[in-house]
Amino acid sequence: EDTGTTDPETTDTGTDEGGWVGCESEDFTVPLVRESVVLVYDKSASMFSTLLEDGEGGSLTTWAALHAATTDFIDRYPQPIANLGAELFPRPGTTGSVSASVCEVSIPVDVPITTGGDGIVAGIPGPNPAAQGGATPGSRALRVAYGHLSDVRDANPGSRGHVFYVTDGAPGCHADQVEALEQCGGGFACVQIRDFDPFAGATCTSDADCPPGTECCDPALGSANCPVDGTCALPANGIKDVNPREALATMGQAGAHPNPPAGDFYAVDDAPALEAALRDIEASLPTCTVGIPAPPTPEHESMQLGYLTLYVGDKAYGHCFDWGDGSPVDNCTGPLSSDLAACMSTGVPYLDPDTMSLTLCGTSCEDYKQAGALDGSYGCWEMGDEQAPTLW
């Protein structure tokens, strides 16, 4: 009887009566499943002028913080864990603020999906680029991104796609606003409220004196949206009748990974929080749920016991099961979680025997990403009168 922790593949295959008889193992490898992800990034003017604390006593622009978080996301593992593309809004090179170009996006996407993150960093503006401008045509960018993911899925049936949407405000540039922009010759104000003329000179002392969706100009504001101090004008930031927080919460709820508690989107106040949010969203990718081959058919009727061993990085997991009904064998059950909840709490993989779907959680998921693949081995034993050996 073998009661040690020897790998079943190397156990003696003799046929001593009343003992265990090993059989030839069947090995398999499951490479890392790489999801397709399009990074849909806001590159409007405010992304390059709004400063975030860097966590070290200094500050940097929102775009510089996003660029650093993206580089971290791409380089975190020895091998790519996702196939990445990118769509920016507005399109690269936009510098105007009072023309139809502020609402244009690239068609097709700025960076097509490729293996890993090849081309992403080169295909988006650097951390501190030349002057950038434009509005926030987020809905247009999302439509282009989803169209690209659909094309990728058509070319690779069964593939799954995701969008990481990052912005510092509510989506703008709706179709009627763009039409208004073109009709009124590029005046940014008429994009927002078509029947409001900011140059009409309506005087005010407070916002209550102004039409809905407008505000009273503060002499200290001095922005393009406030052409005459002491008159009604459009808000310096924002869109008529759109609450940015509510709009982003709705988007978060519609996506697959809302951020609790109330808010349903990742609201970040500094660069470390932005990096942490991107890491958390990346961790939600279903990279660590994979299918594994079903057990092979035993060679002989006398082979009553099967074993499965999984190797993830430098760790081994597995269990023994009855060839007849697939049920685990109590005295030969190795460290596989009994259910998904146990996997989530311990990091030990869970195998759904009905679907042969393996879920790795926590440490086992991280080990899988680091290794880029997991190895497995099936084997079988003839049961004699002896107890099952300890395999792991």
Side-chain angles (χ1 to χ4, degrees):
E1 177 193 2
D2 174 15
T3 58
T5 57
T6 304
D7 188 324
E9 296 176 48
T10 63
T11 302
D12 182 10
T13 59
T15 57
D16 294 340
E17 185 176 354
W20 292 83
V21 179
C23 65
E24 186 176 352
S25 64
E26 183 169 310
D27 302 331
F28 60 88
T29 297
V30 180
L32 189 71
V33 176
R34 295 187 177 93
E35 304 289 318
S36 294
V37 177
V38 178
L39 307 175
V40 180
Y41 283 177
D42 182 352
K43 59 165 292 296
S44 59
S46 56
M47 291 288 288
F48 300 87
S49 59
T50 305
L51 297 180
L52 296 179
E53 295 181 1
D54 62 7
E56 299 178 354
S59 62
L60 69 172
T61 67
T62 304
W63 179 264
L66 178 58
H67 191 280
T70 302
T71 301
D72 173 76
F73 165 67
I74 293 172
D75 296 338
R76 194 173 312 144
Y77 297 101
Q79 68 292 311
I81 64 167
N83 296 326
L84 300 176
E87 173 73 352
L88 308 177
F89 60 98
R91 61 176 173 75
T94 301
T95 57
S97 59
V98 290
S99 70
S101 66
V102 300
C103 289
E104 293 178 355
V105 298
S106 300
I107 304 175
V109 294
D110 292 299
V111 182
I113 289 174
T114 57
T115 301
D118 294 347
I120 291 293
V121 174
I124 65 177
N128 298 292
Q132 303 284 315
T136 54
S139 58
R140 284 184 161 192
L142 284 171
R143 285 195 292 271
V144 174
Y146 287 131
H148 183 54
L149 286 170
S150 179
D151 292 340
V152 171
R153 184 177 57 192
D154 290 344
N156 302 275
S159 64
R160 295 174 293 191
H162 312 270
V163 161
F164 288 5
Y165 183 84
V166 182
T167 183
D168 66 349
C173 293
H174 300 294
D176 60 337
Q177 295 170 335
V178 176
E179 179 184 356
L181 182 68
E182 294 170 345
Q183 290 179 353
C184 70
F188 182 71
C190 72
V191 178
Q192 311 291 339
I193 305 175
R194 300 174 72 166
D195 57 359
F196 175 72
D197 181 2
F199 297 97
T203 59
C204 60
T205 57
S206 70
D207 291 348
D209 299 330
C210 297
T214 68
E215 62 184 15
C216 190
C217 277
D218 184 330
L221 191 59
S223 72
N225 282 17
C226 203
V228 181
D229 293 336
T231 64
C232 298
L234 294 165
N237 296 288
I239 302 169
K240 179 189 177 185
D241 300 330
V242 173
N243 181 310
R245 180 165 292 276
E246 291 179 358
L248 293 173
T250 299
M251 295 176 72
Q253 293 163 1
H257 192 65
N259 180 41
D264 296 314
F265 67 98
Y266 287 81
V268 301
D269 298 319
D270 54 32
L274 176 58
E275 184 172 306
L278 202 59
R279 284 193 175 198
D280 188 66
I281 297 170
E282 173 270 323
S284 73
L285 292 173
T287 303
C288 289
T289 298
V290 298
I292 65 172
T297 302
E299 298 177 3
H300 307 291
E301 292 183 1
S302 61
M303 293 177 178
Q304 301 172 23
L305 183 71
Y307 69 81
L308 166 65
T309 305
L310 299 169
Y311 303 94
V312 187
D314 59 357
K315 299 182 180 68
Y317 307 93
H319 74 167
C320 295
F321 55 91
D322 188 300
W323 278 116
D325 58 13
S327 61
V329 177
D330 290 339
N331 61 354
C332 188
T333 298
L336 273 187
S337 289
S338 58
D339 53 38
L340 190 56
C343 174
M344 297 297 290
S345 63
T346 66
V348 175
Y350 164 66
L351 175 64
D352 183 340
D354 295 328
T355 62
M356 297 308 294
S357 175
L358 180 73
T359 300
L360 301 98
C361 308
T363 54
S364 61
C365 178
E366 286 299 303
D367 289 343
Y368 181 38
K369 292 176 181 177
Q370 290 286 349
L374 65 84
D375 296 315
S377 178
Y378 279 111
C380 52
W381 296 80
E382 282 186 303
M383 186 180 294
D385 296 329
E386 306 291 337
Q387 292 295 311
T390 300
L391 302 179
W392 299 279

